[in-house]
Amino acid sequence: MSQVPTKVGILLFPGFEPLDVFGPVEAFHTISKQLAKINLVWIGPSLDPVSTAPKEIHTTTMGSTVDTRVVPTHTYDNPPEDLEVLLVPGGLGPRVPTSDAAVAFVKKTYPKLKYLITVCNGAEIAARAGVLDGKRATTNKFGWKASIATGPKVNWVRYDRYVADGNCWTSGGVSAGIDAILAWMVHVYGREVAREVANEMEYEWRDDKTWDPFAYMFSGDA
Amino acid sequence: MSQVPTKVGILLFPGFEPLDVFGPVEAFHTISKQLAKINLVWIGPSLDPVSTAPKEIHTTTMGSTVDTRVVPTHTYDNPPEDLEVLLVPGGLGPRVPTSDAAVAFVKKTYPKLKYLITVCNGAEIAARAGVLDGKRATTNKFGWKASIATGPKVNWVRYDRYVADGNCWTSGGVSAGIDAILAWMVHVYGREVAREVANEMEYEWRDDKTWDPFAYMFSGDA
C-alpha cells in the first residue's frame, strides 16, 4: 500500500441513503481530476444494481416511489485485494435483515483497511461489526437513540459533526458526510487540497468538527 | 396533472456530475417519506446504466478511475407521459457530443413540464435547447465563462446562488443544487416543509438566493 491511499470502496446494500454516498463520492470525483489519484470501486451483495429502497420497504405512507439503483463493480465475496478505504453509508438499510451481510463484510474487511469512514447511521453497521468498540464515534443526530443502541461498547460523541479515532472516521447525518470527508482529506492530503475540493464543489465547508447545530436541534431524542 | 407535482424525472447522460443529481434526489427522498408524494424516474439514452464518466474521457491526468453507474427506468424515446418536473444535472457530460441527445430531449419535453430545474452547468443543456432564451438564469460559478457561452440569448445572473424565472429554476455549481431544490420546495410545499427536509438532511440551508460566496470567489473567470 502507498502512503497516500488510492483504492476507495463504497459499501452498497439495499436501502442505502443517496447523499450519504454521493456527498463523499463527489469529493472523491473532484479530487481525482487533478489533485490526487483515486480508484473508486463499488461493493455490493452481488453485481446486480443495488437500490436505495430496502427490499422490505417498497413504498412510503405517501405512496411515493423513489428507487435509485447503482451498479456495483465488486461483491462482498470478491472485493479488491488492495482495498484501502471503505465508506459505509446509512439509510433505512442498516435496520433491515439484509444488512447482516454488510456487517459481516465490514467485520472481515476492517483489519486490512487503512481507513474506515461511516456516514450517518452507517455507524450502526460498523458498531454491529464490533470495530468501533472502545472507540469514540458519532452518528446521525436525527435518530440518535436508535443508532447508538447498536453499539453499547462505543464511546458515542453526541455534539460533534464528525469524529476521528484511530483509523475510524464517523460522521453525523447525511450532509455531515461532506464535512467529514473534507476533514479526512485535510488529514490525508492537507488543508489546501481539501479547500480546493470544497470550493470547486461550491460547498460551504465548516472546517470545524465542533460545529453541529443539528446535535442541539435534535437533542430531545435522548 | 395535480396542482402539486408528483412525477419527477432525473435526466441522465454520460458524464453527469454525482452531487448535481444526488443533492436534489436526497431532498426528494426525504420529502417522499412522510411529507409529500413523489414518484421519481430516471431517464437515460437507453436502459443501460449511465456512467458519470463521459465516453470520451475515461481517465484523469492523475490515473484516477471514478465511474459511478446509475440505472435508468425510462429512455429519452419513451419517457413517462405524465412527467411534471425534470432535473438536469451538469458535469463534463454537457461538453461532449453525446449531450446532443439530452439537449434534444429537453427541447422536446419542456413544453409539457410544470418545472424545469437545472443544477450547475446542466444550464448549458437547457440553454442549448433554447428554453432559457430571454429568461434570467444562473449556472456554476467555477467555470462561468464556458457555461454562459452556450446561451447568448439568456439573461445570465452571476451573483445569485439560484434563480427562478417562470417555471425554470437554475442553480449554481454542484452543492448549490441543494439550496435550489429547497427553495423550489418552499415554492411548492411551503417553507415549513422545506425546513423539515433540510433539518432531516442535517444540511446547513442558506434560505437566501443572494448568498453566494463562490460567485465572488470565482469572479475572475470573466
Side-chain angles (χ1 to χ4, degrees):
Chain A
M1 291 194 292
S2 57
Q3 189 62 26
V4 173
T6 60
K7 183 73 91 170
V8 178
I10 310 295
L11 183 66
L12 293 173
F13 47 78
F16 73 89
E17 192 72 24
L19 195 58
D20 292 11
V21 165
F22 289 101
V25 161
E26 178 64 37
F28 283 121
H29 266 248
T30 302
I31 204 170
S32 78
K33 289 182 216 163
Q34 298 184 341
L35 298 168
K37 180 177 176 179
I38 299 290
N39 298 118
L40 194 70
V41 298
W42 298 80
I43 307 172
S46 75
L47 291 177
D48 293 335
V50 181
S51 172
T52 52
K55 283 178 187 166
E56 293 79 356
I57 305 166
H58 276 292
T59 55
T60 69
T61 53
M62 304 300 294
S64 299
T65 50
V66 290
D67 267 18
T68 297
R69 288 181 299 153
V70 174
V71 185
T73 57
H74 294 76
T75 65
Y76 297 171
D77 289 338
N78 285 298
E81 284 293 327
D82 56 349
L83 190 66
E84 294 171 290
V85 180
L86 181 67
L87 186 133
V88 181
L92 292 171
R95 297 181 180 177
V96 295
T98 46
S99 64
D100 290 350
V103 170
F105 176 76
V106 170
K107 190 167 188 166
K108 174 184 78 170
T109 308
Y110 176 71
K112 303 176 193 170
L113 295 174
K114 283 183 113 162
Y115 295 99
L116 178 72
I117 304 169
T118 69
V119 179
C120 199
N121 67 324
E124 296 174 15
I125 300 280
R128 286 163 56 199
V131 303
L132 297 180
D133 285 352
K135 291 201 178 73
R136 298 169 67 255
T138 196
T139 181
N140 58 320
K141 307 305 167 18
F142 179 90
W144 175 259
K145 197 175 172 181
S147 268
I148 66 167
T150 61
K153 295 179 186 167
V154 180
N155 301 319
W156 295 104
V157 178
R158 181 152 202 169
Y159 294 97
D160 281 357
R161 181 83 161 158
Y162 50 86
V163 171
D165 188 341
N167 67 350
C168 290
W169 291 66
T170 52
S171 155
V174 198
S175 311
I178 305 176
D179 293 319
I181 204 70
L182 289 168
W184 180 83
M185 286 180 172
V186 170
H187 171 73
V188 174
Y189 308 103
R191 183 159 271 108
E192 202 177 332
V193 168
R195 174 59 65 189
E196 211 169 321
V197 170
N199 288 346
E200 193 173 329
M201 288 171 61
E202 300 190 15
Y203 178 70
E204 185 186 21
W205 174 27
R206 297 283 191 167
D207 184 10
D208 172 5
K209 69 177 179 180
T210 69
W211 176 89
D212 192 348
F214 302 100
Y216 297 89
M217 187 182 291
F218 298 124
S219 63
D221 183 22
Chain B
M1 290 193 293
S2 56
Q3 189 62 25
V4 173
T6 59
K7 184 73 90 167
V8 178
I10 311 295
L11 183 66
L12 293 173
F13 46 78
F16 74 89
E17 192 72 25
L19 195 58
D20 292 11
V21 165
F22 289 102
V25 161
E26 179 64 37
F28 284 120
H29 266 248
T30 303
I31 204 171
S32 78
K33 289 182 216 163
Q34 297 184 341
L35 297 167
K37 181 177 176 179
I38 299 290
N39 297 118
L40 194 71
V41 297
W42 298 81
I43 307 172
S46 76
L47 291 178
D48 292 335
V50 180
S51 173
T52 52
K55 281 178 188 166
E56 293 79 357
I57 306 166
H58 276 294
T59 54
T60 69
T61 52
M62 304 300 294
S64 298
T65 50
V66 289
D67 267 18
T68 297
R69 290 182 298 154
V70 174
V71 185
T73 56
H74 293 76
T75 65
Y76 297 171
D77 290 337
N78 285 299
E81 285 293 328
D82 56 348
L83 190 66
E84 294 171 290
V85 181
L86 182 66
L87 186 134
V88 181
L92 292 171
R95 297 180 180 177
V96 295
T98 46
S99 63
D100 290 350
V103 171
F105 176 75
V106 169
K107 191 167 187 165
K108 174 184 80 170
T109 308
Y110 176 71
K112 302 176 192 168
L113 294 175
K114 284 183 112 163
Y115 296 99
L116 178 72
I117 305 170
T118 69
V119 179
C120 199
N121 67 324
E124 295 174 17
I125 301 280
R128 286 164 57 199
V131 304
L132 297 179
D133 284 353
K135 291 200 178 74
R136 298 170 68 254
T138 197
T139 180
N140 57 320
K141 307 305 168 15
F142 180 89
W144 175 260
K145 198 174 171 181
S147 269
I148 65 166
T150 61
K153 296 179 187 167
V154 179
N155 301 319
W156 294 105
V157 178
R158 181 151 203 168
Y159 294 96
D160 281 357
R161 180 83 161 159
Y162 50 86
V163 171
D165 189 342
N167 66 350
C168 290
W169 290 67
T170 53
S171 155
V174 199
S175 311
I178 305 177
D179 293 318
I181 205 70
L182 290 168
W184 179 83
M185 286 181 172
V186 169
H187 171 73
V188 174
Y189 308 103
R191 183 159 271 109
E192 201 177 332
V193 168
R195 175 58 65 188
E196 211 168 321
V197 170
N199 288 346
E200 192 173 331
M201 288 170 60
E202 300 189 17
Y203 178 70
E204 185 185 22
W205 174 27
R206 295 283 191 168
D207 184 12
D208 172 7
K209 69 177 179 181
T210 69
W211 176 89
D212 192 349
F214 303 101
Y216 297 89
M217 186 182 292
F218 299 124
S219 63
D221 183 23

